Amino acid sequence: MFRENSETALAKLEKHLSDISIRGLELIDPQQLTQAARALMTAEHDAVAAFDEERLASIIDLYIRTGIQVQSPGYMGRQFSGVVPLAGVIDFVSSMVSQPASFYEAGQLPSAVERIMAEELNRFIGYDPGRFTMVTTSGGSLANLTALLAARNEKLPGYWSQGASAVRGQPRPAIAVGADVHYSVARAAGVLGIGDAQLVRLPLNKQQQISVGEVRATLEAAERQNLKVFCMVASAGGTSVGAFDPIDELAAIAEERDLWLHIDGAHGASLLVSDALRDKLRGIARADSLAWDAHKMMFVPAPCTMLFYKNRETALSAFRQKASYVFEEEQDIYTAFDSGPKNFECTKRPMIMTLWALWAIYGRSLFAEKIEYLCGLTGEAYEILRADPDFETPHRPEANILCFRYHPAGYGGASGKKLDKKALHHLQVAIRNRVKSEGNFFISKVDIDGAAALRVVMMNHQITAEHFRMLLSEIKRTGRELIESDESEEGTGKA
Ligand SMILES: Cc1ncc(COP(=O)(O)O)c(C=O)c1O
């Protein structure tokens, strides 16, 4: 029966994977979808219902059909990846063998493999092999929270046990971040009792990177406001435009002022495995911690995040707890491999297995080649935009995220009007929504300098420059239609 059920799923997934037609996201009314899901549920409540093969087939169909089509070249919208199918196969095995990964006893191979992957990837980070450590967490948000917790415990002793009273009478603890930092960092500051209003926002330059020249003055201004900055967070591949903050220069400032330096590399740390792109994270070995999502640019199913620490001791100090049913006072050869003391989760998916299996079978180049292709493709897309007077490009892409605006050249329209900032903003939002609802492409949008921009994220190596040109044609057609309909509304007094 297990084989038959698996084969049902396999046949459907095989068809799904081989469909590389260009399609976006079909958003279904949630009420309708809920109804469709309810209609698939058995009416039998008093006994175990008889197995219904058709019900299973319909459940799988509905699941596949209503997802983001990450394998399609039309998917350019978000940061989670088109998954390498083999990683999905390993994930399937993980579900069946059920080996939670926080304790060696429960997940032997995942615990051993976590160490192997830590060592493999640390070759590109460059931490002292005798001192560093890594722990997997369910997502980059949790990795950021965990790292900031370790930072807080290291720099503000007593906070773990006494809470905010440990710093009563002293300047308020604060965290310095790039002005465009991912929201999970602000959320972590709230969770940790630092307070999200105690974030000191470091100004950005035109490329949306932290502007190094302004950091010292901003930190000094914070001190004058009675804040004690104990930690600085920089991004390696920021969410909005994929900007890489200058880690080496920021590390020098962090060392000078005794700040914990955390790098949120959820998106871009994967560039480390590429010889051609590693330099984007120059200085990474000077950071105290690094969050790295493998479910983004290492193409494995979500979640699979790794949190690296320069110093094992500080990782262990993130959670200072006793729990005799799981934590051993005296480590033995087995418990030395437990990751439980280093992470928030107790039962944790053996997420490293997918990454390790791909690494074990194909080696580093699988990842490096895909990443280099996607970053190269994004660079090519940027050049296509620059050569087209109908588009403006507010930034030069550093990795595989590219933002741009449709702003037709010489636009004067029937009314001879120019698009002002507000109109430009609304036009991008309307284009994004129309493109999404037409269902050929799935792209996102982000606000840059107060006006929306269209955003593409290249996460699937089956996307080519030709697909990008097709997207641009659709954007132009849509944009023109929207402008014309606006004008005709103005003409008829409907505006
Ligand atoms: C820069 C950055 N940090 C953190 C996160 C959060 O990661 P996760 O979605 O794995 O929780 C994201 C997600 O897109 C991100 O782009």
Side-chain angles (χ1 to χ4, degrees):
M1 191 169 175
F2 174 67
R3 174 187 287 274
E4 274 169 21
N5 293 347
S6 305
E7 280 171 357
T8 303
L10 194 61
K12 290 182 184 302
L13 285 172
E14 190 178 356
K15 189 157 166 259
H16 174 63
L17 285 178
S18 56
D19 177 4
I20 52 161
S21 61
I22 301 165
R23 56 204 196 281
L25 174 67
E26 187 200 349
L27 261 193
I28 301 169
D29 177 335
Q31 297 297 342
Q32 266 179 24
L33 185 57
T34 308
Q35 258 180 17
R38 280 202 179 283
L40 291 175
M41 294 166 73
T42 180
E44 175 64 80
H45 293 302
D46 300 326
V48 178
F51 177 68
D52 178 345
E53 223 177 293
E54 265 179 44
R55 206 187 294 283
L56 171 67
S58 305
I59 289 173
I60 299 171
D61 277 339
L62 189 64
Y63 201 1
I64 293 176
R65 186 167 64 78
T66 53
I68 290 187
Q69 304 296 309
V70 289
Q71 313 290 347
S72 164
Y75 165 65
M76 303 184 197
R78 299 255 171 242
Q79 293 161 273
F80 41 85
S81 48
V83 167
V84 178
L86 185 60
V89 174
I90 299 294
D91 218 28
F92 173 64
V93 178
S94 287
S95 297
M96 290 314 301
V97 297
S98 192
Q99 298 186 7
S102 290
F103 298 95
Y104 185 78
E105 186 179 277
Q108 301 184 54
L109 187 60
S111 303
V113 156
E114 205 160 298
R115 284 246 183 131
I116 295 179
M117 283 315 294
E119 285 161 15
E120 289 287 306
L121 295 177
N122 186 47
R123 296 207 318 260
F124 312 113
I125 300 173
Y127 284 151
D128 177 347
R131 286 188 79 204
F132 91 104
T133 194
M134 181 273 268
V135 62
T136 53
T137 67
S138 297
S141 305
L142 189 55
N144 283 339
L145 173 66
T146 309
L148 295 187
L149 174 62
R152 190 198 68 179
N153 290 351
E154 168 83 0
K155 300 291 182 192
L156 307 172
Y159 214 110
W160 174 267
S161 47
Q162 292 144 42
S165 61
V167 292
R168 189 160 296 142
Q170 297 171 30
R172 296 192 310 282
I175 301 175
V177 300
D180 198 23
V181 75
H182 189 261
Y183 76 86
S184 60
V185 172
R187 187 175 275 189
V191 173
L192 294 172
I194 303 299
D196 71 351
Q198 260 66 248
L199 289 186
V200 175
R201 303 255 172 197
L202 303 169
L204 306 181
N205 62 21
K206 274 196 85 95
Q207 280 291 11
Q208 310 291 315
Q209 303 154 321
I210 292 176
S211 169
V212 181
E214 296 174 81
V215 172
R216 285 187 180 83
T218 311
L219 294 176
E220 279 153 22
E223 268 168 28
R224 286 196 295 276
Q225 287 171 4
N226 203 31
L227 292 172
K228 175 185 165 53
V229 176
F230 65 94
C231 173
M232 178 154 57
V233 180
S235 301
T239 312
S240 307
V241 305
F244 284 72
D245 292 325
I247 298 173
D248 216 20
E249 288 87 336
L250 293 171
I253 299 174
E255 285 158 13
E256 202 179 283
R257 307 177 80 93
D258 190 28
L259 310 180
W260 179 291
L261 178 62
H262 173 63
I263 306 301
D264 178 0
H267 186 79
S270 302
L271 269 61
L272 283 169
V273 303
S274 155
D275 294 339
L277 298 166
R278 187 170 310 127
D279 200 48
K280 292 265 170 222
L281 288 96
R282 193 162 33 80
I284 187 65
R286 297 171 78 178
D288 295 282
S289 51
L290 165 69
W292 180 341
D293 275 0
H295 57 259
K296 294 192 166 79
M297 289 188 75
M298 302 288 271
F299 319 106
V300 298
C304 178
T305 300
M306 296 164 289
L307 170 59
F308 285 84
Y309 291 94
K310 181 157 66 180
N311 180 352
R312 173 178 310 134
E313 298 310 314
T314 55
L316 288 168
S317 74
F319 304 100
R320 299 167 198 222
Q321 285 176 299
K322 288 192 189 305
S324 58
Y325 43 88
V326 281
F327 301 143
E328 304 295 343
E329 297 270 317
E330 296 282 313
Q331 284 198 339
D332 58 28
I333 58 163
Y334 309 110
T335 55
F337 276 72
D338 290 351
S339 63
K342 284 183 286 186
N343 68 219
F344 198 83
E345 294 147 285
C346 180
T347 305
K348 179 175 73 172
R349 215 168 152 72
M351 56 194 100
I352 200 71
M353 289 303 298
T354 54
L355 181 63
W356 174 67
L358 291 187
W359 194 271
I361 292 167
Y362 291 116
R364 174 183 76 101
S365 295
L366 172 83
F367 304 94
E369 277 181 21
K370 270 170 80 89
I371 293 167
E372 284 161 19
Y373 173 77
L374 293 171
C375 293
L377 173 68
T378 311
E380 204 179 331
Y382 175 69
E383 294 307 330
I384 294 172
L385 288 170
R386 287 199 348 132
D388 189 330
D390 285 349
F391 290 98
E392 63 178 45
T393 46
H395 77 115
R396 174 184 287 277
E398 291 193 70
N400 61 336
I401 302 181
L402 173 60
C403 300
F404 55 97
R405 296 190 184 97
Y406 175 64
H407 193 172
Y411 175 69
S415 55
K417 223 178 42 177
K418 285 259 177 238
L419 286 179
D420 61 19
K421 195 166 178 175
K422 201 165 147 210
L424 194 62
H425 170 88
H426 288 302
L427 179 61
Q428 312 312 308
V429 175
I431 291 174
R432 193 264 165 164
N433 291 342
R434 179 85 68 94
V435 167
K436 195 167 94 173
S437 66
E438 285 193 6
N440 295 320
F441 292 95
F442 176 40
I443 60 172
S444 46
K445 66 133 188 83
V446 66
D447 288 352
I448 300 176
D449 300 331
L454 304 169
R455 174 175 176 267
V456 295
V457 189
M458 304 295 193
M459 295 301 289
N460 172 1
H461 70 272
Q462 291 176 111
I463 305 172
T464 64
E466 207 36 53
H467 293 121
F468 185 69
R469 286 185 205 277
M470 288 162 72
L471 167 68
L472 293 189
S473 307
E474 187 160 322
I475 289 173
K476 281 189 182 189
R477 178 181 48 76
T478 308
R480 273 196 304 268
E481 283 168 14
L482 284 164
I483 290 172
E484 277 157 22
S485 72
D486 252 17
E487 290 205 325
S488 61
E489 283 193 5
E490 272 177 46
T492 53
K494 274 203 277 172

